[in-house]
Amino acid sequence: MDDSRQVEAPPSALSSAAAAERLALMRAWPTALDLRARARQLMPNFAFEYMDGGAGADGGIKRNWDALDAIELVPRYGKVIKPPPSDTLLFGRSYSAPIGVSPIGGPGTAYPGAETYLARAAQAARVPYTLGVLSGVTVEKAAEIAPDVLWFQLYRFANNDHKIGLDLTRRAQAAGVHVLVLTIDTPIRTVRSREVKAGITNPFKLTMRLRADAIRAPRWLASLARNGIPRFVSLNPYMPPNQSLEESSGFIKREQGGAFTWDEIAKYRDVWKGPLVLKGVLHPADAERAVSMGIDGLFVTNHGGRQIEALPASIDALPAIRAAVGARATLILDSGIRSGVDAARAIACGADAAFAGKSFLWSLGALGEKGPGHLINIYTDDIKATMGQLGCKTIDELRGVVTRHPGAWKARDFQA
Ligand SMILES: Cc1cc2nc3c(=O)[nH]c(=O)nc-3n(C[C@H](O)[C@H](O)[C@H](O)COP(=O)(O)O)c2cc1C
């Protein structure tokens, strides 16, 4: 990594005010779940239900949480431990902690301006920010805000021989995006009952009911006034001009869908010159196949429990995937992360880093644009405390911690 990519420390005149604010936030909102509770009070109901709901009756979300909670880490004592550094190398680039922001489609529904606030916080803290293709800022704009930490996620736009997807890939490369992520775990559209009950439709329609919901949430509304109604602006060049929100949502419904096939993934491998990552792998044989065709990394994820309830908890699928790919791939664990302890569990079970989706949206709903930076501090402080308690001086040592992981799938479970 070249040094110019290191983010400058804030001038010391600012640091005492910043330190006081940091302390006040830590006292008021010490955990991600505190932010969730606050977000639920402050956000329009439809926005909270959109970001927080899972498939079915939230069984997948519960499984992710329970599986992480069940993992025990055994400490080693008897050595002097200073506050350990949490610096992490991912795809040859140095980040300040083994955490990152997962891609979120339509994050402006959860909190208007979300992409800008997430990108700024990630750049300031030097952790990866994955911009979803269905976002309210273009990939070029996100690269201006977060030049050192930007990853970009694509869904499958297969019409006209992937004209849109491959053009976006070239644009991301030209904008200086570090990592391209292809999401493969949405082969079909599924129903999230909490969205349905909250009145959200697909294509999206700004109904009277949703407007009435929003009026009861002044901070959300103020952010809407500042940032405008969220649009899928990366797709503007491919849509007819001056599309309403409903029309652009209809365009996406027509153009995007299905899961990338292996042949399609090979096409993107040819065009994209940087690190290429598949998001959604849960079976070791898929992991093996991806690595054998030159994929550099995998998100081991069940999409945060948002697709169907029966998928394994991501953390339970992780050890068998690490066993299959060895050191040939970078593994990102996502789904269910609510603390630095969870991130440490993920690393002890074979991940290189842990990313989160919902908790970053909770942070925005609770604290507005200050939320994501605060959540990164919560996670980073907690990772360091966990490492210190376990007797680990580096992230590498965390990988060697003895774990008990009762739900872990074994390689033999995958034999047909
Ligand atoms: C509101 C919302 C929208 C999402 N949109 C996308 C998306 O556009 N592309 C994608 O690959 N994953 C998407 N995801 C999944 C996240 O990238 C991530 O896998 C998931 O949120 C991780 O689980 P967690 O929320 O428990 O941290 C979305 C998640 C949420 C909560």
Side-chain angles (χ1 to χ4, degrees):
M1 200 198 87
D2 90 42
D3 278 341
S4 62
R5 288 191 176 278
Q6 299 283 355
V7 175
E8 299 269 318
S12 54
L14 272 185
S15 27
S16 65
E21 179 172 57
R22 181 182 164 134
L23 192 62
L25 287 171
M26 281 293 179
R27 286 189 173 143
W29 316 107
T31 70
L33 290 177
D34 293 316
L35 297 172
R36 178 177 186 244
R38 185 68 175 147
R40 176 171 250 152
Q41 291 168 341
L42 294 183
M43 291 172 65
N45 181 58
F46 76 85
F48 186 80
E49 294 300 283
Y50 169 63
M51 73 164 174
D52 193 67
D58 285 351
I61 294 178
K62 184 169 182 306
R63 182 173 297 114
N64 285 328
W65 290 13
D66 289 348
L68 281 161
D69 288 343
I71 294 170
E72 298 165 46
L73 306 174
V74 184
R76 298 298 307 273
Y77 298 129
K79 36 186 171 171
V80 176
I81 294 284
K82 300 200 181 92
S86 55
D87 298 81
T88 303
L89 205 64
L90 296 174
F91 305 109
R93 190 169 290 185
S94 167
Y95 295 98
S96 68
I99 52 168
V101 185
S102 295
I104 292 155
T109 307
Y111 194 78
E115 303 86 344
T116 302
Y117 306 139
L118 289 167
R120 270 189 205 148
Q123 171 72 18
R126 204 163 36 91
V127 300
Y129 170 55
T130 317
L131 179 77
V133 62
L134 303 179
S135 277
V137 301
T138 60
V139 61
E140 290 83 2
K141 180 71 190 169
E144 276 172 33
I145 303 171
D148 303 318
V149 298
L150 187 64
W151 299 16
F152 183 56
Q153 173 265 336
L154 271 183
Y155 275 131
R156 177 173 179 269
F157 290 83
N159 290 344
N160 299 319
D161 207 14
H162 291 260
K163 186 167 172 284
I164 295 178
L166 290 172
D167 193 54
L168 281 162
T169 301
R170 291 187 198 97
R171 283 171 57 191
Q173 194 99 52
V177 166
H178 182 206
V179 176
L180 182 70
V181 179
L182 303 180
T183 296
I184 60 166
D185 64 359
T186 52
I188 39 118
R189 281 177 212 281
T190 59
V191 177
R192 287 187 284 272
S193 55
R194 283 172 60 189
E195 280 181 14
V196 174
K197 284 191 269 183
I200 296 174
T201 53
N202 186 6
F204 187 81
K205 231 175 157 24
L206 207 48
T207 59
M208 287 311 290
R209 176 173 169 195
L210 301 195
R211 284 169 207 259
D213 246 7
I215 284 166
R216 289 192 285 270
R219 182 161 45 201
W220 188 95
L221 218 48
S223 199
L224 183 71
R226 275 197 305 279
N227 292 285
I229 290 183
R231 312 258 172 196
F232 305 107
V233 288
S234 276
L235 299 173
N236 275 351
Y238 322 113
M239 289 193 275
N242 305 320
Q243 297 275 285
S244 68
L245 182 59
E246 284 89 340
E247 284 165 342
S248 59
S249 175
F251 173 86
I252 291 164
K253 194 170 180 188
R254 283 193 306 279
E255 293 289 326
Q256 178 246 312
F260 289 99
T261 65
W262 294 110
D263 285 347
E264 291 168 350
I265 292 165
K267 237 186 243 195
Y268 285 81
R269 178 63 293 180
D270 280 350
V271 173
W272 177 256
K273 304 300 172 212
L276 186 61
V277 171
L278 297 190
K279 178 167 181 285
V281 175
L282 289 172
H283 196 301
D286 286 346
E288 174 58 46
R289 178 151 191 182
V291 170
S292 69
M293 64 192 285
I295 299 300
D296 304 285
L298 308 168
F299 269 76
V300 179
T301 170
N302 62 19
H303 214 96
R306 290 168 69 83
Q307 282 300 103
I308 61 165
E309 288 178 288
L311 301 181
S314 317
I315 190 73
D316 288 347
L318 177 66
I321 291 181
R322 176 54 85 196
V325 303
R328 291 174 297 158
T330 296
L331 298 184
I332 311 289
L333 184 284
D334 105 347
S335 298
I337 297 292
R338 294 146 297 157
S339 65
V341 173
D342 284 345
R345 286 173 164 133
I347 292 165
C349 293
D352 293 291
F355 280 35
K358 285 190 277 296
S359 56
F360 279 101
L361 297 176
W362 300 337
S363 78
L364 282 162
L367 299 176
E369 65 178 286
K370 287 189 180 150
H374 175 52
L375 184 65
I376 293 169
N377 289 338
I378 292 176
Y379 284 162
T380 307
D381 289 0
D382 198 22
I383 288 169
K384 291 182 182 184
T386 307
M387 289 166 67
Q389 177 70 38
L390 294 173
C392 301
K393 295 201 203 81
T394 62
I395 293 287
D396 258 347
E397 287 186 12
L398 200 48
R399 298 179 213 286
V401 164
V402 172
T403 64
R404 184 155 68 175
H405 186 169
W409 287 69
K410 308 277 184 294
R412 65 168 184 274
D413 296 327
F414 293 97
Q415 280 152 17

